[in-house]
Amino acid sequence: MLKFLARGTALAAMIATSSLAHAETLKMWGPEQITEPLVAQLWNGIKADFERANPDVTVEFMPPTGTISNGAVQAAIQSDAGPDVILTNSGIGRISVVKNAKQVMPLTEQYEKRGWKDQIYPWLYTELKGQFGGEIYEVPDGLDALGIWYHKDIFAQAGWKIPATWAEFETLMKAIEETGLQPIAIGPRTPGSAGHLFGNLLQSASGKEVIGKALRREVAFDDPSIAAGAVRLQKLVEAGYIKKEMAGLDLDGASRLWFNKRAAMFVAGPWFTANARKAGYDLANAGYAPMPSDIKGAAIPTGGVGWSWLVPVNSKQPELAMKWIDFMLSDAVMKKRAQDPASTMIYPREIPGVEPPTPVLKDIFAAAAGGVGYNPSVYLPGTVLDTYFQVIQGLISGQIGGEDGMKQLQAKMAEAK
Amino acid sequence: MAGHTGGLSARMSKGRAAGAALPEGSPNDDARTAFWLVAPALALYAVFTLLPIAATFWLSFNSSAGFNTSASFVGVGNYAKAAQDPIVWKSLVHTFAWLAYHVVMAGGLGLLLALAVSRLRITQVFFRTAFFLPHLVSLAVVGVIWANIYDPFFGLLNTALTQIGLGAFTQGWLSDPALVLFSVNVASSWQGFGLYMLLFIAGLQNIDHSLYDAAEVDGANAFQKLIYVTLPGLREVMTFVISLAMINGLKGFATVFVMTNGGPFYQSELITTYIYRLAFQSQDHGLAAVLCILLSLLAIVITIVFNRWRARLSQ
């Protein structure tokens, strides 16, 4: 009996050892709303598909507790017990932070070797190649398109519509304010939310081309042609169309104001559908329109790369991480995600024949079809971002004027590499 | 090492066998034994405290964009950069204000509630427990709770003020530059006062009751008893609570990080939050290291000044 037990134990140990030798675990950071049942269902399905295709691999999700903007991604990588592959909010500003700290791998070679180059829009590839002297550190997963969300029922009842010009937009905000509603909500305690509205105002006042030049340092941020957007925010606050109290709100607080119909408008991207679902908001009632502008062609959503895949330099499974990205870029997964009710973004390449799961997403895709402008939150250098967000808070809380704010931003820009 | 420990155990068993105290060895033997006894603790202290301090010093003289990056020596460059950075000065002033608020609000509330509760007979345990409960909640959770209480549109505070006809007093608690640091500190103090209250209650129980009887015989009223008997009797506890509150105040981070992230426009930035911002968000480890050293110096200076004041007080 003892002999039998000993042999059995030895055999079990051998099996365990041999399976351990082959088993691989891929630790994956993200996606953001993984705790939401609908999102979890989609991602668990993707995980199951990947594990089926790679029988010796187990994918382990690490629910994210932050982003590059608040340092959580950096801390996770630095811990050396972090993820093998990361899906996070991106854009050159954020990527430059982890790239400068040498926390993420360059992926340029993989773009050629694995054909990723042909799996994203050609213009997107060109843009990525131009950011860090030809080296690419991210694989875009989703693009953002930020514009005005409004309540269709409130607007229809009052006979309002999002106008074409800025002057008319100010008149609209005055009319909304007189009804006791907050014209527009913003939660600048969350960096992203601060940048969404402010980026829209900058583009509306200066136009896409000028903002692009400022981001490429061809025009200074304190030049009147750029500072005009900041002055516009200052005036909205002074007129009471944006309440100073909003400087104390975060994205959730500002969203709550909009979802409860205490605010008429909110600036957000396609990802706001996830927040709406979570809040139980009827997405059929959500309207979307770009920020009005007096400049021809400037009334388009702002945007840029919203989410990207990154591979930490201390990834325990770098080869597997690349395999995972291959899988995510495949037609099957891309289609599955785009058609799923949990879909919340514009994908990095055209997916023919895919019907967006919600009407508001359809509106956003239509508005973004002609291209998107620049959301400075994802284009500014990482070391400038904090000043950018704080200046927005300063403008909303009435601590600084638009011109002063942009001077501070330019000073930081001059310091940045 | 084995020889030394063997020697020690042999001597201990010899002493035990004789039923006497440990036999006295030569001073050298004792020193060696003591060294080996404290060696593990010393090693841990060196690895987890001294080494990081040394690394922070080293980092403060280097320019480093993050981990895994070869640092380059910049001399006192980071120190000069810190001196010229207006946010460093702002966060320094805020840190002092934060300390003062915390000592007064958390310590003061702890004292007041201790005085109120200590005389209760039947319900004392209930109130002690109830008031201590916030201390069990993590500061991050406290931050989330209070951020919602302060919400200018849906928050409990502004809603309650409006409901009772004091709508004129509603505020942007986290957006008003003059209020934000105080507002966040209220949340932090709310979490901390329970511990101080318990310490004061313990102090109150140690005051000799005959002093109150004597004061009563002398015709002292309640206020006079508080001034001439209670407060002097709490002097030792008070200095302990103040030093504890100062240490907790210097460590202030979580509530600010959760509730304002240092904003709006740096109006609630503390040295600790700025360190985090520099080290983990901007990856400027050199400047962050300088601020760590500044914070340590601040703690040392405050401790020395406070201890001198305490010594003078007890003379």
Side-chain angles (χ1 to χ4, degrees), chain A residues 251-282:
Chain A
L251 174 65
D252 285 344
S255 309
R256 188 161 52 212
L257 207 57
W258 190 81
F259 289 134
N260 283 288
K261 298 188 177 177
R262 295 265 301 265
M265 296 179 285
F266 192 72
V267 172
W271 45 267
F272 201 49
T273 49
N275 302 52
R277 264 199 315 269
K278 215 168 151 188
Y281 181 84
D282 175 17

Side-chain angles (χ1 to χ4, degrees), chain A residues 69-71 74 78 97 100-101 103 182 189 244-245 247-249 256-257 262 386-387 390 393-394 397 399 408, chain B residues 65-69 148 151-154 172 174-175 177 258-259 263-267 276-277 280-281 283 285:
Chain A
S69 302
N70 68 9
Q74 297 91 303
Q78 248 160 267
V97 173
N100 290 341
Q103 291 189 319
Q182 300 295 325
R189 255 175 56 209
K244 282 184 180 173
E245 287 84 350
L249 291 182
R256 188 161 52 212
L257 207 57
R262 295 265 301 265
D386 190 50
T387 306
Q390 290 288 337
Q393 289 186 3
S397 57
Q399 295 182 65
Q408 294 197 23
Chain B
F67 100 122
N68 216 12
T69 309
N148 281 304
D151 185 304
F153 300 97
F154 298 101
L174 298 179
S175 57
V258 172
M259 293 174 75
F265 197 51
Y266 307 108
Q267 288 300 341
Y276 182 88
R277 200 189 286 283
F280 295 106
Q281 291 174 353
Q283 300 285 300
H285 291 248

Side-chain angles (χ1 to χ4, degrees), chain A residues 24-356:
Chain A
E24 292 174 303
T25 301
L26 178 78
K27 273 195 194 176
M28 192 207 122
W29 170 286
E32 229 174 6
Q33 285 97 6
I34 190 84
T35 48
E36 200 193 319
L38 206 59
V39 179
Q41 194 184 338
L42 167 67
W43 281 87
N44 284 329
I46 293 170
K47 169 180 142 76
D49 290 346
F50 184 77
E51 287 172 345
R52 213 170 296 127
N54 302 274
D56 296 328
V57 178
T58 306
V59 179
E60 191 184 294
F61 289 143
M62 289 176 74
T65 50
T67 61
I68 293 175
S69 302
N70 68 9
V73 166
Q74 297 91 303
I77 298 174
Q78 248 160 267
S79 75
D80 208 31
D84 298 305
V85 61
I86 297 174
L87 174 62
T88 189
N89 299 74
S90 56
I92 182 172
R94 298 183 182 112
I95 299 298
S96 66
V97 173
V98 281
K99 174 247 163 194
N100 290 341
K102 297 190 178 169
Q103 291 189 319
V104 290
M105 285 183 192
L107 302 169
T108 327
E109 205 187 312
Q110 310 295 330
Y111 268 84
E112 297 287 342
K113 204 170 112 186
R114 294 177 176 266
W116 294 347
K117 184 184 163 187
D118 305 317
Q119 287 175 296
I120 60 172
Y121 288 117
W123 62 264
L124 186 55
Y125 179 68
T126 310
E127 194 181 300
L128 292 173
K129 280 287 272 184
Q131 288 177 350
F132 297 111
E135 199 78 274
I136 307 176
Y137 293 85
E138 63 186 311
V139 179
D141 184 63
L143 309 178
D144 214 348
L146 299 152
I148 299 170
W149 285 60
Y150 61 92
H151 305 289
K152 281 181 181 169
D153 57 350
I154 292 181
F155 270 63
Q157 221 171 343
W160 298 327
K161 61 177 187 148
I162 304 289
T165 67
W166 179 257
E168 287 168 344
F169 189 62
E170 280 184 310
T171 310
L172 169 69
M173 282 203 275
K174 189 171 187 289
I176 295 171
E177 207 258 338
E178 281 166 359
T179 65
L181 265 176
Q182 300 295 325
I184 197 158
I186 179 170
R189 255 175 56 209
T190 306
S193 183
H196 300 152
L197 173 60
F198 194 61
N200 262 247
L201 292 178
L202 288 178
Q203 181 172 284
S204 161
S206 312
K208 178 185 169 180
E209 296 310 315
V210 179
I211 300 299
K213 280 183 183 172
L215 292 166
R216 291 191 298 272
R217 299 167 193 247
E218 291 162 22
V219 180
F221 270 93
D222 54 354
D223 187 276
S225 64
I226 304 284
V231 173
R232 212 167 250 193
L233 177 58
Q234 180 192 338
K235 285 185 177 164
L236 291 180
V237 173
E238 283 166 0
Y241 302 154
I242 293 177
K243 292 275 180 289
K244 282 184 180 173
E245 287 84 350
M246 286 187 191
L249 291 182
D250 60 4
L251 174 65
D252 285 344
S255 309
R256 188 161 52 212
L257 207 57
W258 190 81
F259 289 134
N260 283 288
K261 298 188 177 177
R262 295 265 301 265
M265 296 179 285
F266 192 72
V267 172
W271 45 267
F272 201 49
T273 49
N275 302 52
R277 264 199 315 269
K278 215 168 151 188
Y281 181 84
D282 175 17
L283 275 167
N285 190 41
Y288 179 91
M291 180 68 76
S293 174
D294 295 328
I295 300 167
K296 202 181 165 205
I300 53 171
T302 59
V305 182
W307 294 266
S308 287
W309 293 101
L310 312 175
V311 182
V313 286
N314 54 359
S315 168
K316 307 279 187 295
Q317 302 279 7
E319 205 31 61
L320 207 51
M322 305 301 170
K323 218 171 179 179
W324 172 263
I325 297 172
D326 282 343
F327 184 69
M328 294 309 294
L329 284 172
S330 67
D331 277 342
V333 176
M334 203 72 96
K335 267 188 187 155
K336 183 176 185 161
R337 291 176 70 190
Q339 285 168 342
D340 194 272
S343 178
T344 55
M345 61 186 192
I346 299 173
Y347 290 86
R349 70 164 182 264
E350 206 175 332
I351 315 168
V354 169
E355 182 73 10

Side-chain angles (χ1 to χ4, degrees), chain B residues 90 167 178 268:
Chain B
K90 215 171 205 178
S268 59

